[in-house]
Amino acid sequence: VLAVVTVQATSELRRPEAGALQVHVVGKRWWWQVSYPGTPYVTANEIHLPSGRPVEIDLDSDNVVHSFWVPALAGKQDLIPGQHNVLRFTPKTPGTYIGECAEFCGLEHARMGFVVVVQTATDFDRWLTRRRLTPSPPDGESAAEGEAVFVREACAGCHTVRGTPAQGTVGPDLTDFGSRSTIGARTVENTPANLAKWIVDAGSMKPGALMPPMMQLSSRDVDNLVAYLEGLK
């Protein structure tokens, strides 16, 4: 009798809610890849959701076990290599919520945070419509030179910026980098000064980060890269 009830309850829990928004999250070392199925939009460490609408967060890991946890919104759910898990909840109140990895996953476990931005349905639809678009060309000479540096150097081998030759998949997609509030999965605030330091030597700010140092770049190249990346919105 208990087995029958368990199977029935589990089946109900696995059934998608009508009209639920699907978001796919992949645990990386040590950051979160976020995508919205049905759109070309891929980002990192920031998740936007509409208030009052059911949400399904599809959770996967491509390395070790992580745990997705936003205490103010829902319980924990593990990301297990080879096992697809789903977290379902309905965010109710607009605001910005802090998320963490709740399972020790290696050297930078403590710096594997993220944020969830809950918006009104109207604001979310407007936001997602904009994210579907290819970014505008660089604004200004410095940003244009920064794009050339980005494509010329190793950056393009690891990162993607939609609409450019940069199509790397090792590191985060940077198409909307300038709109993000933090760098390195909430390691530091996203400011031009912090970005310049991160470009030159990410490991000095987040030991164990897989991004190699770029100390061969001139100060001009770094400044131009900062102008380019901060303009990606």
Side-chain angles (χ1 to χ4, degrees):
V1 171
L2 290 176
V4 170
V5 174
T6 299
V7 170
Q8 289 177 338
T10 303
S11 178
E12 287 296 322
L13 289 172
R14 289 179 176 172
R15 185 175 300 168
E17 278 197 66
L21 173 72
Q22 188 176 20
V23 181
H24 188 204
V25 175
V26 180
K28 300 283 188 175
R29 293 173 53 195
W30 286 268
W31 54 281
W32 308 85
Q33 179 178 283
V34 181
S35 60
Y36 292 73
T39 80
Y41 181 55
V42 181
T43 188
N45 309 315
E46 294 198 7
I47 303 171
H48 285 242
L49 303 174
S51 60
R53 179 179 174 184
V55 173
E56 292 188 4
I57 310 291
D58 294 312
L59 299 169
D60 293 287
S61 171
D62 69 359
N63 48 95
V64 299
V65 176
H66 301 284
S67 189
F68 183 94
W69 189 30
V70 191
L73 293 179
K76 303 174 188 176
Q77 182 65 272
D78 286 346
L79 295 79
I80 302 172
Q83 177 177 312
H84 179 72
N85 287 338
V86 180
L87 177 64
R88 297 183 176 93
F89 61 96
T90 300
K92 298 185 182 302
T93 306
T96 300
Y97 301 88
I98 301 300
E100 303 284 354
C101 178
E103 179 75 25
F104 180 73
C105 57
L107 182 63
E108 282 305 323
H109 163 70
R111 294 188 180 92
M112 190 174 169
F114 60 99
V115 297
V116 176
V117 180
V118 178
Q119 303 168 283
T120 65
T122 300
D123 287 345
F124 173 79
D125 288 343
R126 187 182 300 118
W127 172 86
L128 188 57
T129 297
R130 181 177 179 182
R131 296 301 173 219
R132 293 173 185 269
L133 303 176
T134 301
S136 302
D139 184 14
E141 182 178 348
S142 181
E145 291 184 14
E147 181 180 44
V149 174
F150 188 90
V151 173
R152 181 187 75 221
E153 298 290 338
C155 317
C158 291
H159 299 282
T160 288
V161 176
R162 278 190 290 124
T164 77
Q167 297 295 318
T169 58
V170 177
D173 188 307
L174 301 179
T175 302
D176 69 338
F177 177 83
S179 69
R180 300 176 195 170
S181 58
T182 68
I183 300 170
R186 284 186 45 232
T187 296
V188 292
E189 184 182 355
N190 186 358
T191 67
N194 283 338
L195 178 55
K197 293 178 184 177
W198 184 269
I199 291 171
V200 174
D201 189 8
S204 67
M205 305 175 78
K206 185 172 181 173
L210 300 185
M211 179 171 165
M214 303 287 286
M215 296 180 182
Q216 79 280 7
L217 296 175
S218 67
S219 58
R220 178 184 175 86
D221 282 346
V222 172
D223 289 344
N224 289 337
L225 272 173
V226 169
Y228 171 59
L229 292 171
E230 293 289 14
L232 293 174
K233 299 179 179 180

